[in-house]
Each structure stands twice: as C-alpha cells, then as structure tokens.
Amino acid sequence: MKTEPTLPAHNWPTLEKGWVWLCGAGPGDPGLLTLHALNALRQADVVVYDALVQEDILSWAPQAEHVYAGKRGGKPSAKQRDISLQLVDLAREGKRVLRLKGGDPFVFGRGGEEAQTLVQHGIPVRIIPGISAGIGGLAYAGIPVTHRDVNQSVTFVTGHDQSGDTPSSLDWESISKGSQVLVVYMGMKHIAQIAQKLISAGRSANEPVAVVTNATTPHQQVLETTLGTVVEDVAASGMEPPAIFCFGRSVLMRQVLDWQGQAAGIAPRDLDPLGRGRPAESA
Ligand code: SAH
C-alpha cells in the first residue's frame, strides 16, 4: 500500500516463527479486511490462500511467498488434509505462516478442521475472524440480515455436504419453519432441490429471494426473484458461483437500501417495502 495506515498504539501481536495464523479475508473487497489481518499480511513469510481471496489483498504481503491452496466445488483442487499438513510442514520449517481464507475462517470454511490438525500437531495458532459473505455480502446488496420488522432469527445453511450433495442430514422442514430468513452458502449447484425442499416444507412460492454473486467485488451481481421462480431466473441470468442466496422478506429492504444503486443515481423503488406505513421510524 502507498498510504500505510499506522496501526493505533496497541500491542499488535507478533506473528512468530513456527506459528500459523488462520485468518479471514472477508468476502472480497479488500477494505473489508480486519486490522489484525493487515498486521498479519505485513509479517508473514508465507501466505497460503484460497480461491476466493482477491489478488489485491496478497499484494499487501509483497515480502511473502504466496501459495495457492484453493478448493472450488467440482474442480480439481488440493485435498483438505493435504492443505492442513502443508501448514504443519511450513510451521515446522520455522516459517511465519498466514493461512488466509475467504470470509470468516470458521463459517463453512473448514477453518475448524485446519485449526484442529494444527493443534493436534502441536503447532501454535491464532484465529483472526473475518466478515462472512452471508452477512457482509448481503449488506453490499442492501439487504440487512436482520431487521426488527422482519426477523428475530437468521439461519445460515450450506447447500453442499462433504460429498457435494444437498446436505441430507439437514432437517429442511425444521429449518423452513424455524427461521424467517435463511442464508444459503454454496447453493448454486443444488438450487433446484433446495427451492423444492423449502416449498415442500411450507414456505410460500412468493417468498422474496435474492441471489448475490461475487459480492463486494467489482463483479457483484444481484438478482431479486421469488422462491417459485428462482431456479429459472438464475438459469436465465447466467450467474455463476460464488453465490449467496437469501430467502425471506429482508430481501424487500433492498428496494430502499440498495446503497450502491443509489450512489449510481438509481432512486429507491419503495420507501416502505414492508408495508408498515412507517418508512423511517425513530424509536
Ligand atoms: N468462509 C466463507 C465461506 C466459504 S464457503 C465465508 O465466511 O464467507 C464458499 C461459499 O461462500 C461460496 O460458495 C459462496 O456461497 C460464499 N461466498 C464467499 N464469498 C462470496 C462472495 N464474494 N459472493 C458471494 N458468495 C460468496
């Protein structure tokens, strides 16, 4: 970076030799990194990064070796066990290792498994959380993941299990009934089954749905649709993963909170999208 922010007076942790810091890189926009992540990037000897980590972020660690360890659904990629053992080896070589993962390392990111392997091998670790795509990515699309008038709970769901299928262990019926808003990660491949399971479990075909791909990056795309039409609309759009799906009325808030559209001169479509008769409430 040209204008290096001075980190506030604080005992910034030192990334010691032989340690692995497991760090979230946020959903894409480099500005969504944490200061701890920046501090780590500046100290690392080696950065082992995932497919969803933006190149710009790596340029903040010019002194480090950059090792790609991406895994993308359906494409040949490094095996999880191999990645974890590679981290063990690098630490044992005495390197300062930064393991950089998209979003938050402990949210559908296998960060827990990597940390477990490191601990089992006696490697000291530090965990640096990140902004998860299911929260920050939706915020960039103008969708608040909770809103007092919409939901008192939100459920984060993965659209894949370890075998790559729709998770069979998930009780879709309870999930559908138990939470007004569902945020689905890795749902693109199985969106047809997911939509069908939600409708069978009683959710309305008219329920608002948003699909956000490449959230927070310059390639961000947002599609607003409904549960009954999501499959055909996604197919017609040609949208590609990574995608976050949001099911629920919070999607309607985008009509007033699409801040990126507004910055581009697009007026809000509706100031009272929930039909509460009080577009801006102060209490
Ligand atoms: N640990 C990550 C999730 C990893 S699983 C996190 O906390 O965000 C990978 C899935 O995350 C993708 O299939 C997609 O569903 C979602 N994802 C990650 N980055 C995304 C982005 N920029 N836009 C949309 N979805 C994203």
Side-chain angles (χ1 to χ4, degrees):
M1 285 167 70
K2 288 196 193 75
T3 51
E4 298 222 343
T6 314
L7 298 174
H10 185 295
N11 282 333
W12 289 95
T14 303
L15 173 46
E16 307 279 358
K17 292 180 175 185
W19 277 64
V20 178
W21 284 8
L22 189 59
C23 175
D29 180 349
L32 296 178
L33 278 181
T34 64
L35 292 180
H36 275 304
L38 181 61
N39 179 44
L41 282 160
R42 289 177 176 174
Q43 299 181 68
D45 296 319
V46 50
V47 181
V48 182
Y49 67 99
D50 275 357
L52 293 176
V53 174
Q54 302 288 303
E55 296 285 324
D56 299 6
I57 290 174
L58 296 173
S59 69
W60 289 345
Q63 80 291 349
E65 183 190 347
H66 300 165
V67 177
Y68 175 71
K71 286 170 71 80
R72 294 298 293 135
K75 303 200 180 116
S77 53
K79 288 222 168 54
Q80 186 59 48
R81 185 163 169 71
D82 296 347
I83 296 173
S84 299
L85 293 177
Q86 187 180 14
L87 296 174
V88 170
D89 288 345
L90 288 166
R92 287 194 171 148
E93 285 165 24
K95 301 261 171 60
R96 301 172 182 90
V97 186
L98 173 58
R99 172 66 171 128
L100 199 57
K101 300 176 76 76
D104 182 280
F106 280 179
V107 178
F108 299 133
R110 302 184 179 94
E113 284 137 271
E114 290 181 20
Q116 241 178 320
T117 305
L118 290 162
V119 170
Q120 280 161 0
H121 285 80
I123 308 294
V125 297
R126 181 184 184 97
I127 311 296
I128 303 177
I131 296 179
S132 193
I135 299 176
L138 291 181
Y140 265 44
I143 300 170
V145 83
T146 75
H147 184 294
R148 268 202 309 175
D149 291 338
V150 176
N151 57 327
Q152 286 65 52
S153 67
V154 54
T155 302
F156 297 102
V157 182
T158 172
H160 270 188
D161 64 13
Q162 293 200 353
S163 68
D165 290 336
T166 337
S168 47
S169 59
L170 279 181
D171 181 349
W172 289 93
E173 183 109 9
S174 313
I175 288 174
S176 296
K177 294 204 166 73
S179 188
Q180 300 106 319
V181 175
L182 306 177
V183 176
V184 178
Y185 290 67
M186 295 173 276
M188 193 62 114
K189 188 167 164 207
H190 298 305
I191 185 58
Q193 289 97 308
I194 293 168
Q196 181 256 314
K197 282 177 199 281
L198 294 177
I199 290 174
S200 312
R203 289 183 87 110
S204 163
N206 294 324
E207 175 166 85
V209 175
V211 188
V212 189
T213 58
N214 293 301
T216 82
T217 77
H219 308 293
Q220 172 172 305
Q221 278 187 289
V222 185
L223 171 72
E224 284 175 58
T225 175
T226 66
L227 187 49
T229 49
V230 60
V231 176
E232 54 185 297
D233 284 353
V234 164
S237 73
M239 285 169 121
E240 298 271 351
I244 285 288
F245 289 79
C246 180
F247 299 87
R249 286 170 69 244
S250 34
V251 168
L252 298 178
M253 291 307 297
R254 185 174 146 73
Q255 297 182 12
V256 57
L257 295 181
D258 174 17
W259 55 274
Q260 296 196 76
Q262 285 156 34
I266 300 167
R269 281 169 285 160
D270 188 349
L271 288 176
D272 183 18
L274 301 174
R276 301 298 296 258
R278 51 179 170 87
E281 168 226 43
S282 53

